[in-house]
C-alpha cells in the first residue's frame, strides 16, 4: 500500500480525517526520518510501513486529549509525538525539547522542510531549560517513569494545564498514587491500529486546578 494511503487508512480508523496536505506532510516526515535514520540511528523502527503505526498512529491517538494552545513535547527524540500532533493540529504552538544534538538537528530540518512555523525546536535538558511561558499540555512518550516525569516536566505546566504521559502496559505501583501536588485526572486506554501491545495515556493535572 502506498505510504499516503496507509496513513489515511490508519488515521481514519482512529476517527481522524485530516486534509490531504496533512497526509502529504506526515508522509514527508516519515521519509525524512527513514533517510536520517540510516546515518544517525534516531529510532529503532527502520521500515516505513512499521513507522506508520508505531510512530504516527501511536502519536495521533492522543490528539483528543491535547489541552489548550501551547504544547511541550519533552524528550521529543525523533519528533514523537510532537511532529505528528503539530501536523494534525496546526492551530496550536509546539516546542520540541531534546538534549541530543543529532535529534534536534533532524527536528530542525523537518520544521524547515515542512514549513511548520508553529513549531520550535530547543536543544536542552528539561531540568535545565527555562521556558518563557508555561504550557497547557506537557507530553512525553516513554521519557521517564511517572514520578520523574512529573518532577522534571511539571514546572513547565500551566496551573490549568495537563501533564500527558504516554505509556505501554501500566505499572500498578507507578499509578497507585499521583506524585505530590498532582491528581491523576484519567487513564485512557488507546486502541492504536497496527499495534498489538497495550497503549495508555495518563492525564494529570495540578491539584490547584482540581480544587
Amino acid at each position: 500500500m502506498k505510504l499516503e494511503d496507509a496513513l489515511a487508512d490508519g488515521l481514519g480508523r482512529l476517527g481522524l480525517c485530516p486534509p490531504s496536505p496533512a497526509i502529504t506532510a506526515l508522509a514527508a516526515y516519515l521519509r525524512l526520518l527513514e533517510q536520517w535514520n540510516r546515518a544517525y540511528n534516531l529510532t529503532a523502527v527502520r521500515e516505513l510501513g512499521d513507522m506508520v503505526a508505531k510512530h504516527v498512529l501511536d502519536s495521533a491517538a492522543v490528539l483528543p486529549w491535547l489541552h489548550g494552545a501551547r504544547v511541550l513535547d519533552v524528550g521529543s527524540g525523533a519528533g514523537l509525538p510532537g511532529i505528528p500532533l503539530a501536523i494534525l493540529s496546526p492551530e496550536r504552538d509546539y516546542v520540541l525539547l531534546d538534549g541530543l544534538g543529532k535529534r534536534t538537528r533532524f527536528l530542525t530540518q523537518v520544521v524547515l522542510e515542512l514549513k511548520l512555523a508553529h513549531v520550535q525546536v530547543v536543544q536542552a535538558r528539561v531540568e535545565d531549560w527555562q521556558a518563557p511561558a508555561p504550557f497547557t499540555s506537557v507530553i512525553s512518550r516513554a521519557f521517564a517513569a511517572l514520578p520523574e516525569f512529573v518532577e522534571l516536566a511539571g514546572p513547565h505546566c500551566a496551573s490549568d494545564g495537563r501533564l500527558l504521559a504516554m505509556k505501554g502496559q501500566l505499572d500498578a505501583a507507578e499509578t497507585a498514587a499521583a506524585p505530590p501536588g498532582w491528581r491523576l485526572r484519567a487513564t485512557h486506554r488507546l486502541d492504536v491500529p497496527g499495534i498489538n501491545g497495550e497503549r495508555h495515556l495518563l492525564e494529570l493535572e495540578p491539584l490547584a486546578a482540581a480544587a
Side-chain angles (χ1 to χ4, degrees):
M1 183 184 295
K2 184 180 176 184
L3 181 58
E4 286 80 356
D5 293 339
L7 286 164
D9 177 70
L11 290 167
R13 291 165 65 188
L14 284 173
L16 302 173
C17 297
S20 57
I23 298 294
T24 300
L26 289 168
Y29 162 63
L30 290 186
R31 291 186 176 110
L32 277 171
L33 179 54
E34 182 196 38
Q35 176 185 340
W36 278 63
N37 211 32
R38 297 186 197 121
Y40 295 103
N41 194 30
L42 298 170
T43 169
V45 183
R46 299 292 179 181
E47 301 297 327
L48 275 175
D50 294 333
M51 290 180 184
V52 171
K54 293 180 179 179
H55 288 341
V56 172
L57 301 185
D58 188 54
S59 298
V62 306
L63 184 59
W65 294 283
L66 280 191
H67 178 72
R70 284 174 48 78
V71 180
L72 173 63
D73 179 8
V74 177
S76 188
L80 300 160
I83 292 294
L85 292 176
I87 291 171
L88 294 168
S89 182
E91 70 277 7
R92 295 178 164 98
D93 292 322
Y94 296 79
V95 172
L96 311 184
L97 185 68
D98 200 278
L100 200 58
K102 68 178 183 179
R103 295 172 182 160
T104 55
R105 286 191 293 274
F106 167 70
L107 295 175
T108 298
Q109 189 64 28
V110 170
V111 168
L112 288 173
E113 292 203 22
L114 301 187
K115 297 180 173 59
L116 302 176
H118 59 303
V119 178
Q120 178 187 2
V121 177
V122 176
Q123 182 183 348
R125 292 166 58 90
V126 63
E127 60 267 36
D128 299 330
W129 184 57
Q130 295 295 321
F135 294 83
T136 49
S137 288
V138 179
I139 193 166
S140 79
R141 183 179 188 247
F143 170 72
L146 188 62
E148 184 181 359
F149 171 56
V150 171
E151 178 185 356
L152 297 178
H156 298 297
C157 186
S159 59
D160 60 345
R162 304 280 190 273
L163 287 180
L164 302 170
M166 299 173 66
K167 298 286 183 179
Q169 187 173 0
L170 291 181
D171 182 337
E174 188 180 30
T175 58
W182 295 85
R183 181 177 82 96
L184 182 59
R185 179 183 175 90
T187 299
H188 307 285
R189 187 181 178 108
L190 307 175
D191 184 12
V192 182
I195 294 183
N196 294 325
E198 291 186 18
R199 299 296 294 154
H200 294 87
L201 179 70
L202 303 181
E203 183 182 8
L204 296 98
E205 64 180 352
L207 280 178

